[in-house]
Amino acid sequence: MSWGFLRDLLSGVNKYSTGIGRIWVAVVFVFRLLVYIAAAENIWKYEHDEFECNIKQPGCENVCFDHFFPVSHIRLWALQLIVVSAPSLLVVFHVAYRENREKHHNQKLYRSPGERNGGLLCTYLISLILKTGFEIVFLVLFYKLYNGFKVPHLVKCDVRPCPNTVDCYISKPTEKMIFLYFLVATSCLCIVLNLSELSYLLFKYSLKCYLTRHIKKHQ
Amino acid sequence: MDWGALHTVLGGVNKHSTSIGKIWLTVLFIFRIMILVVAAEKVWGDEQDDFVCNTLQPGCKNVCYDHFFPISHIRLWALQLIFVSTPALLVAMHVAYRRHEKKRQFRKGDQKCEYKDIEEIRRQRFHIDGSLWWTYTSSIFFRLVFEAVFMYAFYFMYDGFRMPRLMKCSAWPCPNIVDCFVSRPTEKTVFTIFMIAVSSICILLNVAELCYLLAKFFLRRSKKAGNPKHHPNHENKEETKQNEMNELISDSCQNTVIGFTS
């Protein structure tokens, strides 16, 4: 089980998405997943080994690292990618449910199981809202946990067993900050794409509803 | 998602590219991505561990490393490759959109549709004309821009393309000016120069492809203006032959574009 699974999942969802949805999948694949695997993972690989405190007291480095990084940036990033892609599963499950129903009743119940109407449209809209919600939650979490998106090169630590206030140096802070900003930018882009897709779908289908009702009235 | 998946996606675009585009793609995969993954990553693998400063002051090494390498060469290359490959995805999406439209026409039973079955639509190679020409040309333009921007960023950040052996660092908490030694400077210089050289070749290929497309466009326009009757069948036969030759010349790339075709 690795990132290939997520890739297959998102490729499966792509079939039932709108044009904007496919752009969202492309952005997630290329600017988030690929950047994570090809570049970001290696920056944080030895973060604990390279975290150095100006003290010989055993255990001080460990507690300080744990105090300043309760959850590492890179793990939060990975969680964000997984959680944000998960709502797309709802759409896949709904289509599978429709296909199963057709098989069970042995007759064609829908024009096409993947067509975005009725229940599937609601599921799609819910998945869009959930995706946007999760993105915002993770961005806020990042902001709150690390006091903004900056990575300082020096942190002052006075947790036991450190005897006094001790200087601790974080490795590659500038590089980490650059990639964090990249993460925030792509997250915001994905939020914008999700919101545009939501508005587009709501507008399209309310127009359709209105026109159908209008035609029925005149008949 | 890894470089292999990117290769599959771009391989699908390869089918609809010009010959120069196919050469560019080959250079990108063999001389840049493969070299990055197989060799360069190992050269920069131990960069911070083996970056040694002539001081016992804790924290000095970290601070000095961060000061001299705000973003590592290897990460900058990975970002450059990702950004440079991205415009080709625009072409992939446009082709997928065209295929989707043709399939819709075919399913409606349109008389104008010249395909016999869905499989033929899937295998069809689209000519670079109409709106696809604009998408393709803009993708080449953006590629050029990204290449140039990253080359400049490299030059600006590292004061040229040489990796020095020794750097003098006086950032706090280093007590005085401290000598810091970079690991494998010569090997890193060699790879940096190699990557820059291949980047320049790619820029030249993109410029050549852009000129070729523009020349073809203006030639076609002047032909149409001068000769209102043109023979589409004859043109198509010639282009089909050229396409077959291109297919033979280029690498065997997979036929699918991940997820973008329905």
Side-chain angles (χ1 to χ4, degrees), chain B residues 40-202:
Chain B
E41 267 180 5
K42 295 192 174 64
V43 174
W44 270 267
D46 53 6
E47 56 180 327
Q48 192 165 339
D49 286 340
D50 289 350
F51 181 79
V52 171
C53 289
N54 190 3
T55 184
L56 282 175
Q57 169 64 48
C60 179
K61 181 174 114 160
N62 277 7
V63 164
C64 290
Y65 182 85
D66 183 61
H67 175 78
F68 288 112
F69 301 109
I71 177 166
S72 168
H73 288 75
I74 205 87
R75 249 78 65 185
L76 214 48
W77 279 330
L79 276 178
Q80 182 183 14
L81 289 170
I82 291 170
F83 274 89
V84 153
S85 314
T86 306
L89 291 177
L90 287 174
V91 178
M93 285 193 225
H94 195 140
V95 164
Y97 170 74
R98 265 203 187 178
R99 266 209 194 113
H100 179 74
E101 288 297 303
K102 295 261 173 209
K103 276 187 191 163
R104 218 160 47 100
Q105 265 182 5
F106 178 80
R107 282 202 187 105
K108 273 192 187 160
D110 199 332
Q111 294 300 322
K112 273 187 271 174
C113 189
E114 64 266 27
Y115 302 106
K116 294 195 186 66
D117 57 38
I118 289 263
E119 275 311 307
E120 211 185 314
I121 298 176
R122 215 168 263 167
R123 275 183 276 121
Q124 166 69 15
R125 181 196 184 270
F126 291 110
H127 300 299
I128 302 172
D129 53 15
S131 52
L132 187 59
W133 185 90
W134 287 102
T135 309
Y136 195 81
T137 315
S138 2
S139 81
I140 299 177
F141 177 75
F142 280 115
R143 265 189 240 161
L144 270 170
V145 166
F146 289 140
E147 292 271 21
V149 163
F150 274 94
M151 290 254 276
Y152 178 72
F154 246 110
Y155 190 82
F156 178 75
M157 259 200 268
Y158 296 108
D159 277 331
F161 302 122
R162 244 191 89 240
M163 179 72 81
R165 267 188 202 155
L166 162 70
M167 290 166 159
K168 291 195 184 283
C169 174
S170 58
W172 190 86
C174 304
N176 296 302
I177 299 177
V178 154
D179 289 337
C180 290
F181 300 89
V182 178
S183 74
R184 309 182 214 237
T186 312
E187 202 168 3
K188 287 179 180 171
T189 308
V190 166
F191 273 95
T192 307
I193 293 175
F194 179 84
M195 288 300 227
I196 296 296
V198 180
S199 204
S200 317
I201 292 173
C202 285

Side-chain angles (χ1 to χ4, degrees), chain A residues 7 11 14 29-31 33-35 37-39 42-43 50 52 54 154 167 169 171-175 179 182, chain B residues 1-3 5 48-49 57-59 62-63 66 70-72 75 79 82-83 86 89 93 172-173 258-260:
Chain A
R7 182 189 69 197
S11 305
N14 218 15
F29 271 168
V30 177
F31 291 110
L33 205 46
L34 185 58
V35 167
I37 291 173
N42 291 326
I43 303 174
E50 291 164 355
E52 209 176 353
N54 189 2
L154 161 71
D167 290 336
Y169 300 91
S171 70
K172 310 193 209 197
T174 312
E175 203 166 2
F179 276 87
F182 191 82
Chain B
M1 182 71 172
D2 54 5
W3 295 114
Q48 192 165 339
D49 286 340
Q57 169 64 48
N62 277 7
V63 164
D66 183 61
I71 177 166
S72 168
R75 249 78 65 185
L79 276 178
I82 291 170
F83 274 89
T86 306
L89 291 177
M93 285 193 225
W172 190 86
I258 282 187
F260 291 121

